[in-house]
Amino acid sequence: AGALNLPPLWAGVAAGLSHLPYTRKLERELFNRSQLFLTAASASALHQALPGLHGEVLAGSVYFVVNTGAFLFLARFVLRKDPASLWRTVLKSFALSYLGLVPMAVLATRLYASPAIFPVRGLDPLLLVVPGAYAWHMWRLQRKTLQAVEDMVKSLVWVLEARDPHTALHSERVAAIALDLAKELGLPPEVRSLLLRAAKLHDVGKVGVPDAALLKEGALTPEEWERMRLHPELGWRLLAPLEDHLGPVVRDVVLYHHERWDGSGYPRGLKGEEIPLLARILAVADAYEAMTADRPYRRALSPEEAALRIQKGAGSQFDPEVAEAFLRALRRAPPWKRKEKFERATLEVREVP
């Protein structure tokens, strides 16, 4: 509303000074306040050039575009993140909330210019404080809810790692491998984002597997093996309450990542392209990570030995196209090629305050 009632300079100053909460990081504060200054000043300038209802609506739209554009510019050239992926995975869900405030800002502007209830000019817009505060609160609540779901997802993975120390960082390494395979196959950023999330959650169903089977150092009995084979189904059910946030694709990848190209996998016995592509990618990533990691009952294979097994399994256990993409990625000597190197790098990142 300030952008529709004040000159560009003062609209920008008011927006920049009104930003809450304050942070201790100077560079973040400078960016946030500069972003708001530019956003409000741009909207005010457009409104002055094009007065009336059309100008007010366009000014509100410009406010959103400039505000979002500044963030995406920062993401692309400073944070080195893909703007399209950030838009689809983070900002798109907030677009309706932002644009929904435009009519409220227009109404506040009209009430300020032409009082309808109070005789003193400037009091009528105060009637919108309560609905405006409510809209702001709901937007903040939406952000907190999304963050809470992300934190819960991380906690599920860490609970599993805490139960089974032999698979520590297994899901993170599988995710790194799967992401490189997706890039080799030319999958778009939004699909890679889904795969990354599914990879980190692919073994979450093992929280329902008894310790006697999960932590056993020797070969599993037929009964224990049957319990272990239930973990994709258990994971699929465990993630059901989060489907609105994760999406059905993630749950399907968790369910089908042990299916085999020839139809001999589990839990459904799907064959070939009946298996979702992301699950086929995850199957290769999961197999390589498992083969190149030490277990109590066997030594890890070398990257070369594991790659040979994946090559031989193309067309039977693995999708041939995905297996070929894996071999191409491995030839570039990625960080995940050797488990010990990947673990050191990942733990160093986790320890950074």
Side-chain angles (χ1 to χ4, degrees), residues 194-229:
L194 290 172
L195 176 61
L196 184 64
R197 183 169 292 178
K200 290 183 177 181
L201 290 169
H202 75 280
D203 274 342
V204 71
K206 286 183 178 179
V207 299
V209 177
D211 286 349
L214 184 66
L215 306 180
K216 189 172 183 178
E217 296 190 357
L220 299 180
T221 65
E223 293 79 12
E224 290 169 338
W225 178 237
E226 284 303 313
R227 285 181 173 271
M228 186 67 77
R229 284 164 60 102

Side-chain angles (χ1 to χ4, degrees), residues 262-289:
D262 61 7
S264 62
Y266 63 90
R268 300 286 190 268
L270 301 184
K271 181 179 181 180
E273 294 188 359
E274 293 175 350
I275 309 167
L277 174 59
L278 299 190
R280 285 180 261 152
I281 293 172
L282 191 60
V284 174
D286 191 31
Y288 177 80
E289 205 293 320

Side-chain angles (χ1 to χ4, degrees), residues 232-289:
E233 185 87 37
L234 291 173
W236 185 78
R237 292 178 180 175
L238 184 64
L239 296 176
L242 302 177
E243 183 166 325
D244 286 344
H245 177 69
L246 298 175
V249 172
V250 172
R251 289 184 67 208
D252 285 348
V253 174
V254 171
L255 179 63
Y256 298 128
H257 74 276
H258 278 296
E259 301 287 357
R260 296 169 60 110
W261 185 255
D262 61 7
S264 62
Y266 63 90
R268 300 286 190 268
L270 301 184
K271 181 179 181 180
E273 294 188 359
E274 293 175 350
I275 309 167
L277 174 59
L278 299 190
R280 285 180 261 152
I281 293 172
L282 191 60
V284 174
D286 191 31
Y288 177 80
E289 205 293 320

Side-chain angles (χ1 to χ4, degrees), residues 2-16 36-49:
L4 301 180
N5 287 286
L6 298 173
L9 177 60
W10 290 111
V13 170
L36 289 172
F37 177 90
L38 180 63
T39 298
S42 300
S44 175
L46 178 62
H47 181 242
Q48 285 195 347

Side-chain angles (χ1 to χ4, degrees), residues 175-199:
I177 298 168
L179 194 58
D180 276 0
L181 300 194
K183 291 177 181 177
E184 283 289 335
L185 293 167
L187 299 186
E190 63 272 20
V191 176
R192 298 201 302 264
S193 177
L194 290 172
L195 176 61
L196 184 64
R197 183 169 292 178

Side-chain angles (χ1 to χ4, degrees), residues 91 209 267 346 352:
L91 298 175
V209 177
T346 304
V352 173

Side-chain angles (χ1 to χ4, degrees), residues 1 103-105 107-112 114-135:
M104 189 176 296
L107 180 58
T109 301
R110 294 301 177 92
L111 289 174
Y112 180 81
S114 304
I117 299 176
F118 297 107
V120 181
R121 187 169 184 257
L123 291 181
D124 283 12
L126 295 178
L127 295 172
L128 301 176
V129 169
V130 173
Y134 177 76

